[in-house]
Amino acid sequence: ACSLDGLRTPPGYEQIEGAWREVWAVTDKGAEDIAADLAAAKAARLALVPQWLDAANTSTFEHAGKTFSFAAGPAMQINVYMAYISEHRAFPATFPGAWRDVAGDPMPMPTIEDFIALHASMADTGTANFWRAIAAETGIANATTVEQVNAVEW
């Protein structure tokens, strides 16, 4: 029979009940390491906020029970028509008289007030998204632990 009694114990291992077992030592992190981890977590999470905001501002918005595209093309077209309406208090001759929702169904826009209301819904959604981003950034900045940082969601 072979005996291991005379061998040196390798670092991190002990003979426990006749078997070699890996032994771990749990030590607290120092204040500098904790601060560095928190700073890294905050930086990583803050980098996500513009991505969250961009995704929200290129998705959809609700108006009068319908869902409209908030993507760059449709939003730009809404803004272009709105600029014209603001200046002339009338639709341009090229205005189609309706706006399509994401399902492709037209919503009649017989008056400029109807279109202004559509634009206001889009602007309200964009503003809400902006404030949500500010709240996320504030939550991240005020977090005192990595867990609190990671709990901040869109």
Side-chain angles (χ1 to χ4, degrees):
C2 180
S3 171
L4 298 176
D5 291 340
L7 297 177
R8 278 188 24 197
T9 305
Y13 288 86
E14 289 181 10
Q15 191 172 19
I16 301 173
E17 297 178 4
W20 288 100
R21 309 235 189 248
E22 191 169 8
V23 177
W24 292 88
V26 177
T27 57
D28 289 334
K29 281 188 170 186
E32 288 180 12
D33 289 337
I34 292 171
D37 288 350
L38 181 59
K42 284 183 175 188
R45 204 68 168 175
L46 282 171
L48 294 176
V49 175
Q51 295 171 29
W52 294 339
L53 180 58
D54 186 53
N57 281 343
T58 56
S59 60
T60 60
F61 67 95
E62 301 297 318
H63 175 72
K66 293 188 171 218
T67 303
F68 293 86
S69 177
F70 208 172
M76 182 188 71
Q77 290 172 332
I78 291 171
N79 285 329
V80 166
Y81 279 121
M82 192 63 219
Y84 185 94
I85 290 168
S86 295
E87 186 175 337
H88 301 282
R89 296 300 298 161
F91 286 121
T94 58
F95 185 73
W99 206 261
R100 293 194 182 276
D101 64 12
V102 294
D105 298 325
M107 174 181 248
M109 300 277 161
T111 69
I112 61 171
E113 286 76 18
D114 293 320
F115 194 83
I116 290 169
L118 174 72
H119 183 266
S121 293
M122 183 179 80
D124 288 348
T125 300
T127 301
N129 291 342
F130 170 80
W131 286 113
R132 193 170 178 184
I134 294 296
E137 290 170 341
T138 302
I140 293 165
N142 291 337
T144 57
T145 67
V146 171
E147 292 77 17
Q148 290 173 346
V149 169
N150 291 334
V152 175
E153 298 282 338
W154 182 255

